[in-house]
């Protein structure tokens, strides 16, 4: 029961969904839409177990006075305000939007912008001509870097065209080859899941 | 007034995140915990209003679609691990989600990825300029050699080894080029933050 | 050669500091490095130049603060050009947060050209609904747009009442950071109603747009901050784009320098075995 | 102004559920609008159902009843002209039970399924299957061993997407091996997740893995925790874990977006051994540059089969390889079709 029922569910849901893709008739389309809505709904609903976990771990940290427990108070306060504002005042409430715009948005943008620094430290370290492969990586990167800025055009007016060519020809070729491999891997993975061959996601029972 | 406070808060949080580049410190920890708290709350609210409510509860409560009790039951099983006796039932929502999702991915990837990408590789070698023909040939060969690299059934030796090696070269050029190409966008993000600090906050430019 | 030994263990914080300086200094003290003008950007400029005075340009702000750094400078440069040519601007947005950014640029530039809201420009704000909305919009603006972003009935504004369907729009310019965005305008507005489309996209998206440029479905394109810098050069108004481009050039050169240094260190270490 | 004739064609919309009729027309230039009129009798009262703009040539009428006959005509207008088309019909909307346009997709799926299943059965029947070594996978065990020697924890980041993403499933499958090894060695394992369902699944996996190697006491649910659904907030917290817990080994396996390099560079600064793997082609350059080992694209999916060394799993890898040969042959035929103008073959790949 503990193994068979989940396997039946994954098999039936999966192959039914596959079938509806090819059947335009109404019952098929509406039922597939319903199943997809349910799946989105269930996944979203799960966020509460996550929130529950987040609260539990941080309350625990404060109670046991673990390292950095003071910060957990900050976390829980902001979490509480957001949940309160969102669920009581609605998602258009002033507090909710204010916190989103003045806290979450700039924090997200700043975290994202750290990449400007990390591309620099990574390229200093990694782009060294240790092997023929590393040399190719390095040359392609340097050509594109120079060709993308106005100075590249001043050095040689065909530089931007060369960059485009690299992006459109060897880059496209490699990306596409990688993609085909990925598609095959994905289909085989999905098939193994649907057939119940791949079960490690159920807690590794084999 | 409220706007000024907002700008100050955003500016100080921005600096707190950057301080992490020097080393981990109390300001970063404050910013990090605020960020996690606010965003976790934000997503819980958004996921509820945008997905869970309209897909599960609204049809049942306002449109009387009684059969929507099923997915709600499936969703509630997320709490099953709290009761050891029925903890295995957590597998029901997991397998339900995966069954639907895997099927959707299969059709989506065959239809949206494999077919158009294969077709895009059927490139003309004749009837185009010499340079274009060469570029097209290079794309076709690049795809084939990259695929050969991913061939798992044989040791990469002999002819297969050479093919796989060329495949790696194509990938390395692609990785280097993509890396170089992305830098501009990443630096733009930092420019955006600096502009915010210098213009909106300090007003010096 | 103790220098190389020191450099090979270079603290990454020094790299970070140099990157920060390379961005901040050119922003405070513009270097005014020259920018080359690419074809797709010139096409946008020429298209706007060719429009008769009083034509209505629809500007769609399809981005959010996440791409503000790349797309806002272009928004300002193009609005500047439109007002200078005495074109009228009908602004909307397919992304919720976009119309606020558009408004900021619109109000700022309208002031310097003495343009009046309602007569010379309007903003109808965020319009959800993607393709379905665009299709009905092209057929009849009145079906989709009843009020502007402030809730003022659209027919009470001279420009709002004057635009009835896609035929009254001379050009669409979309500032696009993803979906819904430029592809929607091409596939649903250009294909159906034949209105020419110009776009400004993030640098990452720009290469994906080349097929549409070559097929003529897209008239012109500004890619990333570089596109904005080129446009600022064309309209001769130095703004964030050119300033940002100075920073970009310096950072890129700095990175090339780092890579060169890394390889010099490698050669040195190899010689020593 | 010359105004041309309007040519009208109507048909039951192909491959639909019988809820619409497709109206298409061809008209010369000069028209400003087209009115589409519909009736249930050829000479009955026609009512306007749609008004199209100058550039439009097609209208899907979905306000029709299944199995009923309809007739259409079009009136084209401009400021001075009105032109009527011929009446077209009768046409009747019908249900289709198979979407013919998707037949090539079905064939492709059946072929791929068939070859994978073929090899799985061959493997089950005891045939020896060879699979080449994947360097990054060999490194996994060594990396865990290193953390154990140093007495430091292992960090496992399963990507930032939920379990509806096949990459997350592949990652979970690798997690079960990593958990077995860490449990065996008694090394702490941190799994921060960005999605609640992924957290639930990871907890199940790690718990079962610990039980399987006889160390149920080792399992600590608090180490497998949800942080936040937000991409960058999640990264800020994982960065914090790296700097404060100082794991000796970091795994980044799953779906990653821009955060890939933020994680990998922070991890590198703490001196951890890093093993990454993703099927997001755009993020591979960053992992390749900043990590010690990277599973490229398909290798992520191959990893779970490879690590298990179970014949059935390895069989599916063989099936994938046959799929690759098939793709290469299709590409060759496609390129030949371009040269010899076999449009039939190329058009097989047109999908609505």
């Amino acid at each position: 029961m503990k193994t068979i029922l989940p396997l039946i569910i994954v098999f039936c849901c999966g192959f039914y969904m596959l079938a509806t893709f090819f059947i335009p008739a109404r019952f098929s389309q509406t039922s597939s839409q319903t199943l997809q809505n349910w799946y989105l709904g269930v996944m979203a609903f799960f966020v509460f177990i996550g929130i529950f976990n987040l609260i539990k771990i941080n309350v625990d940290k404060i109670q046991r006075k673990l390292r950095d427990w003071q910060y957990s108070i900050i976390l829980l306060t902001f979490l509480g305000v957001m949940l309160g504002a969102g669920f009581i005042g609605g998602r258009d409430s002033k507090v909710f939007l204010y916190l989103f715009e003045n806290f979450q948005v700039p924090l997200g943008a700043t975290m994202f912008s750290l990449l400007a620094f990390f591309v620099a430290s990574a390229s200093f370290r990694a782009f060294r001509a240790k092997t023929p492969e590393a040399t190719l990586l390095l040359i392609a990167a340097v050509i594109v870097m120079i060709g993308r800025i106005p100075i590249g055009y001043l050095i040689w007016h065909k530089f931007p065209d060369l960059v485009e060519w690299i992006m459109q020809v060897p880059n496209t070729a490699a990306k596409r080859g990688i993609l085909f491999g990925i598609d095959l891997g994905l289909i085989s993975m999905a098939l193994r899941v649907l057939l119940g061959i791949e079960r490690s996601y159920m807690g590794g029972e084999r | 007034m409220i706007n000024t406070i907002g700008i100050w808060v955003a500016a100080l949080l921005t600096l707190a995140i950057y301080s992490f580049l020097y080393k981990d410190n109390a300001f970063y920890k404050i910013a990090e915990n605020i960020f996690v708290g606010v965003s976790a709350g934000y997503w819980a609210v958004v996921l509820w209003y945008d997905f869970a409510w309209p897909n599960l509860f609204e049809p049942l409560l306002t449109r009387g679609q009684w059969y929507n009790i099923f997915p709600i039951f499936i969703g509630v099983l997320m709490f099953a691990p709290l009761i050891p006796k029925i903890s295995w039932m957590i597998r029901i929502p997991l397998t339900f989600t995966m069954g639907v999702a895997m099927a959707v991915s299969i059709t989506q990837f065959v239809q949206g990825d494999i077919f158009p990408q294969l077709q895009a590789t059927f490139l003309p070698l004749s009837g185009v300029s010499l340079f274009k023909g060469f570029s097209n040939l290079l794309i076709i060969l690049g795809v084939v050699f990259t695929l050969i690299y991913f061939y798992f059934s044989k040791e990469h030796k002999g002819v297969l080894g050479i093919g796989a090696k060329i495949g790696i070269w194509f990938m390395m050029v692609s990785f280097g080029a993509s890396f170089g190409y992305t830098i501009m966008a990443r630096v733009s993000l930092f420019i955006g933050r600096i502009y915010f600090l210098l213009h909106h906050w300090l007003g010096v430019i | 050669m103790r220098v190389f030994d020191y450099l090979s263990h270079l603290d990454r914080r020094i790299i970070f500091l140099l990157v920060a300086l390379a961005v901040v200094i050119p922003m405070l003290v513009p270097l005014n490095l020259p920018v080359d003008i690419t074809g797709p950007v010139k096409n946008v400029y020429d298209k706007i130049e060719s429009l008769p005075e009083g034509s209505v340009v629809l500007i769609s702000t399809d981005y959010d603060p996440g791409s503000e750094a790349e797309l806002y400078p272009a928004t300002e440069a193009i609005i500047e050009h439109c007002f200078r040519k005495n074109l009228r601007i009908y602004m909307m947005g397919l992304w919720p947060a976009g119309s606020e950014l558009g408004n900021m640029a619109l109000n700022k530039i309208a002031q310097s050209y003495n343009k009046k809201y309602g007569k010379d420009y309007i903003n109808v704000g965020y319009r959800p609904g993607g393709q379905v909305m665009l299709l009905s919009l092209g057929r009849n603006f009145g079906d989709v747009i009843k009020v502007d972003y402030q809730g003022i009935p659209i027919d009470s504004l001279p420009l709002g009442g004057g635009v009835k369907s896609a035929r009254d729009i001379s050009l669409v310019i979309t500032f696009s950071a993803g979906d819904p965005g430029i592809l929607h305008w091409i596939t649903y507005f250009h294909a159906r109603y034949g209105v020419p489309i110009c776009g400004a996209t993030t640098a990452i998206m720009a290469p994906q747009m080349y097929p549409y440029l070559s097929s003529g479905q897209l008239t012109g394109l500004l890619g990333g901050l570089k596109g904005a810098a080129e446009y600022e050069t064309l309209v001769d108004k130095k703004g964030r784009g050119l300033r940002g481009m100075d920073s970009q050039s310096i950072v890129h050169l700095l990175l090339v320098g780092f890579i060169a240094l890394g390889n010099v260190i490698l050669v040195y270490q190899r010689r020593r075995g | 102004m010359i105004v041309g004739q309007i040519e009208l064609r109507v048909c039951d919309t192909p491959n639909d559920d019988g809820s619409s009729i497709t109206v298409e027309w061809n008209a010369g230039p000069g028209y400003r609008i087209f009115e589409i009129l519909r009736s249930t009798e050829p000479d009955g009262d026609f009512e306007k159902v749609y008004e199209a703009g100058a550039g439009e040539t097609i209208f899907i009428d979905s306000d029709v009843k299944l199995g009923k006959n309809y007739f259409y005509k079009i009136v084209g207008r401009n400021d001075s002209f009105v032109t009527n088309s011929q009446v077209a019909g009768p046409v009747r909307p019908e249900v289709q039970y198979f979407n013919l346009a998707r037949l090539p997709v079905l064939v492709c799926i059946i072929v791929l399924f068939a070859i994978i299943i073929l090899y799985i059965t061959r493997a089950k029947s005891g045939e020896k299957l060879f699979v080449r070594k994947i360097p990054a996978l060999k490194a996994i065990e060594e990396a865990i061993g290193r953390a154990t020697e140093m007495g430091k924890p292992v960090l496992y980041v399963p990507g930032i997407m939920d379990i509806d993403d096949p990459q997350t499933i592949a990652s979970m499958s690798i997690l079960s091996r990593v958990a077995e090894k860490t449990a065996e060695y008694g090394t702490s394992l941190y799994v921060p997740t960005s999605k609640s369902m992924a957290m639930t699944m990871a907890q199940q996996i790690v718990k079962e893995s610990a039980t399987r190697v006889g160390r149920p006491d080792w399992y600590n649910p608090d180490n497998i925790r949800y942080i936040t659904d937000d991409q960058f907030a999640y990264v800020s917290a994982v960065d914090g874990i790296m700097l404060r817990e100082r794991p000796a080994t970091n795994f980044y396996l799953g779906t990653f977006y821009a955060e890939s390099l933020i994680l990998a560079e922070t991890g590198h600064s703490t001196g951890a051994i890093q093993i990454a793997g993703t099927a997001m082609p755009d993020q591979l350059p960053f992992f390749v540059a900043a990590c010690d080992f990277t599973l490229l694209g398909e290798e992520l999916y191959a990893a779970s089969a490879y690590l298990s060394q179970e014949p059935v799993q390895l069989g599916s890898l063989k099936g994938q390889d046959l799929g690759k040969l098939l793709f290469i042959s299709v590409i060759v035929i496609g390129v030949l079709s371009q040269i010899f103008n076999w449009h039939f073959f190329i058009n097989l790949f047109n999908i609505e």
Side-chain angles (χ1 to χ4, degrees):
Chain A
M1 180 72 170
K2 288 181 188 177
T3 320
I4 297 299
L5 181 65
L7 288 181
I8 291 173
I9 293 175
V10 82
F11 183 88
C12 295
C13 290
F15 281 95
Y16 185 73
M17 281 301 290
L18 271 183
T20 59
F21 180 77
F22 298 100
I23 304 172
R26 192 163 297 168
F27 71 91
S28 141
Q29 290 310 306
T30 46
S31 61
S32 116
Q33 194 54 53
T34 307
L35 272 179
Q36 284 193 54
N37 288 346
W38 287 3
Y39 132 76
L40 288 173
V42 168
M43 272 213 323
F45 193 29
F46 252 70
V47 75
F48 290 106
I49 196 89
I51 298 292
F52 177 78
N53 179 272
L54 188 65
I55 294 171
K56 179 176 152 266
I57 282 180
N58 282 287
V59 167
D60 199 47
K61 203 167 167 183
I62 296 168
Q63 275 174 349
R64 288 163 56 193
K65 297 252 181 319
L66 296 177
R67 192 181 65 193
D68 289 342
W69 63 273
Q70 299 90 337
Y71 298 100
S72 291
I73 299 175
I74 300 179
L75 191 155
L76 289 176
T77 312
F78 277 90
L79 176 65
V81 173
M82 268 321 248
L83 289 177
F87 284 114
I88 297 163
R91 61 176 296 183
D92 297 325
S93 73
K94 282 232 165 65
V95 180
F96 186 75
L97 290 176
Y98 188 83
L99 283 173
F100 174 70
E101 277 163 21
N102 293 296
F103 287 77
Q104 191 171 335
V105 170
L107 279 165
T110 310
M111 270 317 282
F112 198 0
S113 75
L114 287 179
L115 282 167
F117 298 98
F118 291 146
V119 287
S121 56
S123 51
F124 174 62
R125 200 178 66 244
F127 292 166
R128 296 188 186 181
K130 286 178 191 151
T131 58
E133 287 82 26
T135 314
L136 278 173
L137 186 81
L138 155 81
I139 294 173
V142 170
I143 290 177
V144 173
M145 277 184 210
I146 297 178
R148 290 269 285 159
I149 50 174
I151 295 165
Y153 179 83
L154 295 178
I155 297 172
W156 181 39
H157 72 284
K158 288 268 186 200
F159 236 130
D161 297 338
L162 177 62
V163 171
E164 283 314 310
W165 185 84
I166 293 178
M167 295 308 289
Q168 306 257 331
V169 178
N171 175 53
T172 303
K175 286 255 166 73
R176 198 172 282 162
I178 296 174
L179 266 180
F180 284 141
I182 289 171
D183 291 337
L184 282 169
L186 180 147
I187 288 168
S188 138
M189 175 89 210
L191 180 66
R192 291 197 310 254
V193 169
L194 295 186
L195 293 178
I197 295 169
E198 172 71 64
R199 298 182 199 174
S200 46
Y201 65 88
M202 282 207 306
E205 212 163 287
R206 297 187 194 122
Chain B
M1 179 61 191
I2 193 101
N3 271 333
T4 318
I5 297 175
I7 288 177
W8 272 82
V9 166
L12 294 177
L13 289 175
T14 301
L15 292 176
I17 295 284
Y18 286 139
S19 74
F20 153 87
L21 289 171
Y22 181 70
K23 68 179 216 196
D24 191 26
N25 62 72
F27 297 111
Y28 177 74
K29 287 181 196 171
I30 292 172
E32 173 201 324
N33 283 281
I34 290 178
F35 197 5
V36 172
V38 171
S39 67
Y42 175 81
W43 282 105
V45 170
V46 167
L47 288 172
W48 169 260
Y49 281 115
D50 287 359
F51 294 98
W53 173 256
N55 286 335
L56 302 184
F57 296 90
E58 200 250 63
L60 176 76
L61 297 176
T62 63
R63 277 184 274 152
Q65 293 175 0
W66 59 270
Y67 51 82
N68 263 60
I69 202 85
F70 287 123
I72 294 174
F73 173 70
I74 293 176
V76 170
L77 285 177
M78 70 175 141
F79 294 107
L82 300 179
I83 309 160
K85 236 183 156 177
I86 58 155
S87 75
W88 67 273
M89 288 178 99
I90 186 68
R91 291 174 182 175
I92 292 173
L94 296 182
T95 45
F96 166 74
T97 324
M98 284 180 41
V100 177
M102 292 302 123
V104 173
S105 334
I106 291 175
T107 48
Q108 186 193 326
F109 274 81
V110 173
Q111 188 190 26
D113 226 37
I114 295 180
F115 275 66
Q117 292 289 331
L118 278 174
Q119 201 183 32
T121 313
F122 304 159
L123 293 163
L125 295 176
S126 55
V128 289
S129 74
L130 198 63
F131 182 67
K132 184 85 188 152
F134 167 72
S135 299
N136 286 349
L137 182 67
L138 214 56
I139 293 183
I140 295 161
L141 291 177
V143 173
V144 171
F145 285 126
T146 310
L147 267 177
I148 288 176
Y149 168 81
F150 288 104
Y151 195 76
F152 297 110
S153 297
K154 278 213 170 76
E155 212 58 82
H156 282 171
K157 281 183 192 146
V159 183
L160 193 71
I162 296 169
K165 194 91 184 164
I166 300 176
I168 295 181
W169 291 346
F170 268 96
M171 282 194 272
M172 286 300 150
V173 170
S174 161
F175 292 162
S178 306
F179 194 109
Y181 200 87
T182 322
I183 292 171
M184 189 164 275
R186 301 305 184 231
V187 174
S188 294
L189 297 166
F190 183 54
I191 292 175
R193 291 321 290 159
I194 292 295
Y195 189 81
F196 167 77
L197 292 176
L198 295 180
H199 180 79
H200 295 278
W201 185 45
L202 297 175
V204 293
I205 59 169
Chain C
M1 295 294 263
R2 298 242 298 279
V3 180
F4 285 132
D5 289 328
Y6 170 73
L7 285 177
S8 68
H9 301 287
L10 184 65
D11 192 325
R12 42 191 242 139
R13 283 175 288 198
I14 294 176
I15 298 179
F16 296 160
L17 182 68
L18 291 174
V19 170
L21 291 177
V23 169
V24 175
I25 292 176
M27 293 191 78
L28 292 170
V29 191
L31 307 171
N32 299 323
L33 296 171
V35 171
D36 60 296
I37 310 295
T38 54
V41 176
K42 187 76 172 35
N43 288 349
V44 179
Y45 181 82
D46 291 344
K47 181 73 202 173
I48 292 181
E49 280 289 307
S50 75
L51 294 176
E53 257 185 39
S55 310
V56 180
V57 176
L58 190 152
I59 291 185
S60 185
T61 49
D62 311 331
Y63 63 105
D64 65 5
S67 327
E68 188 259 6
E70 282 193 273
L71 292 176
Y72 184 79
T75 317
E76 278 199 358
I78 285 185
I79 290 175
E80 173 91 30
H81 191 198
C82 291
F83 278 153
R84 191 183 293 170
K85 289 286 299 171
N86 288 322
L87 305 176
R88 292 181 291 166
I89 293 178
Y90 195 106
M91 183 177 277
M92 59 180 283
L94 304 181
W95 286 32
S99 66
E100 203 38 57
L101 292 161
N103 243 344
M104 219 157 75
L106 211 47
N107 293 334
K108 180 178 155 192
I109 298 162
Q111 233 170 24
S112 61
Y113 283 91
N114 218 350
K115 298 286 183 188
K116 295 271 166 300
Y117 186 83
K119 182 169 143 290
D120 301 308
Y121 68 99
I122 53 171
N123 188 353
V124 298
Y126 167 55
R127 294 290 145 180
Q131 59 194 69
V132 181
M133 186 277 291
L134 284 183
L135 285 179
S136 38
L137 183 77
R139 205 158 50 240
N140 186 357
F141 271 56
D143 284 352
V144 180
I145 295 163
K146 309 250 189 297
V147 292
D148 77 347
Y149 80 107
Q150 297 161 305
I152 301 173
I154 201 78
D155 291 329
S156 69
L157 300 164
L159 176 54
V163 175
K164 298 249 183 281
S165 75
R167 280 191 301 279
D168 302 318
I169 302 289
S170 308
L171 174 67
V172 171
I173 305 174
T174 154
F175 295 85
S176 172
D179 271 344
I182 188 162
L183 280 177
H184 283 74
W185 285 105
I186 293 173
T187 21
Y188 301 105
F189 217 73
H190 175 74
R192 279 290 168 90
Y193 305 113
V195 183
I197 313 278
C198 285
T201 66
T202 57
I204 301 276
M205 280 169 69
Q208 299 156 28
M209 293 298 128
Y210 291 148
Y212 298 97
L213 277 172
S214 60
S215 67
Q217 288 163 285
L218 190 61
T219 306
L221 177 72
L222 274 61
L225 198 64
K226 169 114 193 300
E230 291 174 39
Y231 213 86
E232 285 173 8
T233 312
L234 284 170
V235 296
D236 196 25
K237 174 119 203 262
K238 292 198 169 56
R240 274 174 69 186
L242 278 165
R243 272 191 185 183
M245 238 15 238
D246 285 349
S247 301
Q248 289 281 8
S249 296
I250 303 297
V251 174
H252 276 71
L253 290 179
L254 184 72
L255 258 56
V256 172
F258 281 142
I259 294 173
L261 181 66
N263 284 284
V264 171
I265 295 171
L266 179 75
V267 172
Y268 168 74
Q269 285 171 334
R270 281 226 177 115
R271 282 231 181 111
R272 285 214 323 197
Chain D
M1 192 183 287
I2 303 158
V3 178
Q5 285 295 313
I6 304 175
E7 213 177 291
L8 176 66
R9 268 162 305 155
V10 293
C11 64
D12 171 31
T13 306
N15 301 319
D16 79 340
D17 59 355
S19 64
S20 70
I21 288 172
T22 301
V23 184
E24 276 184 280
W25 61 96
N26 247 330
Y31 292 105
R32 208 162 55 80
I33 51 168
F34 298 100
E35 285 170 4
I36 288 131
L37 310 177
R38 185 185 65 196
S39 167
T40 46
E41 300 289 334
D43 42 10
D45 281 342
F46 277 83
E47 56 169 335
K48 184 164 118 180
V49 289
Y50 184 71
E51 189 179 299
E56 291 182 76
T57 57
I58 186 165
F59 165 64
I60 310 268
D61 185 0
S62 42
D63 185 27
V64 289
K65 289 221 166 58
L66 190 66
K68 204 168 165 189
N69 279 328
Y70 290 94
F71 299 85
Y72 286 85
K73 73 179 182 189
I74 283 196
V75 181
R77 295 174 192 277
N78 72 6
D79 298 330
S80 44
F81 285 94
V82 178
T83 311
N84 281 288
S85 75
Q86 302 276 7
V87 172
V91 58
R92 184 164 45 176
E94 309 237 33
V95 184
Q96 275 88 44
Y97 289 98
F98 183 76
N99 188 336
L100 270 178
R102 287 177 175 173
L103 184 63
V105 176
L106 182 64
V107 172
C108 177
I109 291 181
I110 289 177
V111 169
L112 291 177
F113 274 19
I115 54 182
I116 293 167
I117 292 174
L118 170 80
Y119 273 97
I120 290 178
T121 13
R122 276 174 63 176
K124 263 190 181 158
S125 67
E127 199 176 307
K128 272 254 178 247
L129 298 172
F130 172 82
V131 173
R132 76 170 163 88
K133 288 193 179 69
I134 300 172
L137 290 178
K138 279 199 66 185
I140 290 182
E141 195 163 333
E142 290 163 28
I144 298 171
R146 179 174 176 264
T148 311
E149 276 167 27
M150 295 170 73
K152 285 181 169 182
V154 170
L155 175 72
Y156 192 101
V157 182
I160 63 159
M161 297 307 278
D162 215 334
I163 64 162
D164 58 337
D165 186 323
Q167 292 186 58
T168 311
I169 306 297
S171 177
M172 290 295 169
S173 171
I174 302 171
L175 173 64
S176 82
R177 317 287 157 176
V178 170
E180 273 177 19
K181 279 279 168 270
T182 44
E184 222 171 88
Y185 296 158
T187 308
S188 324
L189 172 66
Y190 291 108
V191 189
T193 73
S194 174
K195 298 288 179 280
S196 304
M197 237 182 194
M199 173 198 76
T200 310
M201 191 181 270
Q203 284 179 340
Q204 298 296 310
I205 287 172
V206 175
K207 190 173 160 197
E208 297 271 347
S209 296
T211 316
R212 206 161 42 237
V213 295
R215 293 290 307 273
D217 52 309
W218 168 87
Y219 169 67
N220 176 3
D222 285 356
N223 286 348
I224 296 144
R225 53 206 250 203
Y226 167 80
I227 291 178
T228 166
D229 273 64
D230 190 87
Q231 178 186 15
F232 290 111
Y234 172 72
V235 173
S236 77
V238 175
D239 274 4
I241 294 175
M242 288 186 206
L243 291 170
R244 284 156 224 155
E245 309 294 340
R246 298 259 156 194
T249 303
N250 297 341
F251 292 100
Y252 314 113
L253 300 165
T255 309
F256 290 90
Y257 293 87
E259 67 283 354
S260 61
L261 191 65
I262 304 181
L263 293 171
E265 276 298 292
T266 309
H268 181 266
S269 75
T270 65
I273 287 234
Q274 308 201 86
I275 297 174
T278 186
M280 301 299 284
D282 291 339
Q283 300 309 322
L284 282 172
F286 304 107
F287 277 144
V288 168
C291 292
D292 300 279
F293 297 94
T294 307
L295 290 166
L296 302 174
E298 191 188 358
E299 292 175 345
L300 175 72
Y301 291 114
S304 68
Y306 185 89
L307 286 173
S308 76
Q309 286 295 326
E310 281 171 52
V312 252
Q313 297 252 13
L314 289 177
S316 73
L317 264 190
K318 289 276 183 188
Q320 281 161 243
D321 274 356
L322 194 61
K324 269 161 240 168
L325 297 181
L326 193 74
F327 279 8
I328 293 177
S329 339
V330 169
I331 290 174
V332 171
I333 299 173
V335 172
L336 291 175
S337 318
Q338 277 287 2
I339 296 174
F340 299 110
N341 286 322
W342 303 334
H343 294 298
F344 153 76
F345 185 77
I346 296 167
N347 291 338
L348 277 182
F349 294 85
N350 281 338
I351 300 293
E352 45 152 336

